Amino acid sequence: MGLESLCLGQTNQFTKVDATPRPATSDVAAIEVRFGREFDRRLTDSRVDKFSTWLVLLLLTGAAVLLHGYHPYVEDAEIYLPGIERILNPQLFPTGQKFFQSHASMSLFSNLVAYSMRATHLSLESGLFLWHVASIFLLLLACWELTSILFSSARARWGGVCLIAGLLTIPIAGTALYIMDQYLNARNLAAFAAVFAVARTLQKKYLQAALWILFAASVHPLMWVFPFSFCALWMVLQKIEGNVKAMISNVKTSPIAMACLSLAWIPLVSQFSPAYHEAATLHANHYIQNWEWYEWLGIVAPLGVFWWLGRMVRTRQQAFLARVCRAFLMYGLIYVAVSLVLDLPARFESLARLQPMRSLHLLYIFLFLCLGGLLGEYALRKSMWRWMALFVPLSLGMFVAQRSLFPASVHLEWPGRAAKNPWAQAFVWIRQNTPVNAVFALDPGYMHIEGEDEIGFRCLAQRSRLADAIKDNGVVSMFPLLADEWWAQVQAQTPWKHFRAADFERLRDKYGVTWIIVEQPGVPGIDCEYKNSTLQVCRLPASAPALAGAHTDGGEHDDDRIERAKVVSLRMREVVGERKE
């Protein structure tokens, strides 16, 4: 009782010693109750804020899918999806694997997606759609976290995130990239990982940033280099801030050296064949000197905007945002210099496939976050009508642009939805009615035929085919050792539109082709098992007599084939330019 009396006596001198414990205990209990309530209220508020943020991000994700469309089998899906499909069904693609396995073997993207589908027992179509939606949500979440570092007000943060959601499919200068594609691919996963890495670096959470960069590297062999180099540049600038000479010296060495070392694993060749040169020249986006003036504007304008933003926000007492803008300005200038060094000398042609101007992908994301944040803070503010005046016309413009890209297909190709495009209908019929080991041949430029909408045969039909001149040449531009085989197969299918029965027989004898796809009205002398308004799918007979007047392997046919190849190459370059516009 002695220690208790002393304690209680100090707290209440006018209370009897033996009566003190009850009110003192009740006071402590009251304080604990009040503290507990306050803690619970704040914890609940934080949980409500987090829940409401995630809910809005989910709504924005749904709006982005509706706005930009969903086309799971178009464009580069022809490169990425066959690797997933073969893991799920190893019997697929007994021939022609090298044209997609070369990419798939350099990352864990195919394994990650395929094994997740096995674990969840999802169908291929459902799994692809859920992965696509998740990648958009994670990109928007990463952008929210980055804007939370850069801006203090909620309207600025939402302005940046909403602008990114509205511009997901905007072309990035001459790189042939979007911020995020309308289908699942490895770039989409690397995109949100890059933004998370930058956000963690700005927060000085370097371990988490490194983990995000490692994730990006595991799913894409190239796109991780750009967030890595920016984060390295930022760390260098932070250490030498205020020392101009040291800054210039370190910026010239450290980030560039790190970027070069990070790309050293890519196999290079000192000499390349004419076949590789043909494949490389079909990709004008790899060569900055071939970019159009408006594509150069896509380089210069963002750098000018960053310079202006850095000065403008510094006057508004936003010093941290100003430093980040200056860092991105320097980042952009470094990569422009690297691109010119790799592109201009002819002997560096094979190095251009490293595509340093893909650095614009991360730069554009940050640019739109900054612009959207500043618009939300100083222009849109709390006016609903101002927000609508900006985002309604913007969304309509992006929607119209997407419909013009895929006019013969439905805007949203939901899982299980029947195909509308006649090419897609034929490919689905092939998947359902032909043997797994069938080998197909079709026009090598089929993805640029009007109405085809760049739907990939290999990924949708899930059957082997001879090399094409559109997507397989993109693989060849990155893997030169495939060039001769690719060019031989493309030439063997040229000029496709003038082929007769004996030419298809030659493909059967030389490459094991068992089925062909031809446009209406078909080819005389060949019976076809499937027909629609646009195409015929025909099985080649096991043996067929040589037809009179058929092409032979030499003479005029070779000249026609070479001339046709030149025309196809020229047309592909024109179409690529039209799609960029």
Side-chain angles (χ1 to χ4, degrees), residues 222 225-226 229 251-263 286-289 296 299 330-345 348 351-359:
L222 181 61
V225 172
F226 308 115
S229 57
V251 167
K252 284 183 178 179
T253 56
S254 299
I256 296 179
M258 291 178 182
C260 293
L261 287 175
S262 63
L263 293 171
H286 290 187
Y287 302 92
I288 192 172
Q289 61 181 318
W296 272 93
I299 300 174
M330 196 168 298
Y331 162 88
L333 290 173
I334 290 172
Y335 272 108
V336 170
V338 172
S339 298
L340 291 173
V341 169
L342 295 183
D343 185 41
L344 294 180
F348 288 166
L351 290 175
R353 72 185 193 273
L354 301 180
Q355 303 175 67
M357 289 315 296
R358 285 192 173 203
S359 58

Side-chain angles (χ1 to χ4, degrees), residues 89-105:
N89 184 0
Q91 295 182 344
L92 293 178
F93 311 114
T95 61
Q97 298 175 26
K98 60 187 71 176
F99 290 108
F100 63 85
Q101 288 287 34
S102 52
H103 262 281
S105 62

Side-chain angles (χ1 to χ4, degrees), residues 428-450:
V428 171
W429 182 89
I430 288 169
R431 185 179 66 203
Q432 297 173 345
N433 296 277
T434 62
V436 174
N437 62 350
V439 179
F440 280 78
L442 65 165
D443 190 331
Y446 76 97
M447 292 187 81
H448 283 173
I449 294 176
E450 184 177 358

Side-chain angles (χ1 to χ4, degrees), residues 71-138:
H71 307 280
Y73 301 105
V74 301
E75 297 178 347
D76 285 353
E78 181 73 345
I79 298 173
Y80 290 106
L81 292 193
I84 298 172
E85 294 165 344
R86 182 167 170 78
I87 293 175
L88 295 174
N89 184 0
Q91 295 182 344
L92 293 178
F93 311 114
T95 61
Q97 298 175 26
K98 60 187 71 176
F99 290 108
F100 63 85
Q101 288 287 34
S102 52
H103 262 281
S105 62
M106 299 186 72
S107 76
L108 299 177
F109 171 74
S110 299
N111 304 77
L112 177 64
V113 176
Y115 290 135
S116 70
M117 293 180 186
R118 279 186 181 175
T120 56
H121 302 287
L122 289 171
S123 66
L124 176 67
E125 290 187 347
S126 298
L128 294 177
F129 179 72
L130 291 177
W131 268 100
H132 177 67
V133 172
S135 64
I136 295 177
F137 173 80
L138 289 172

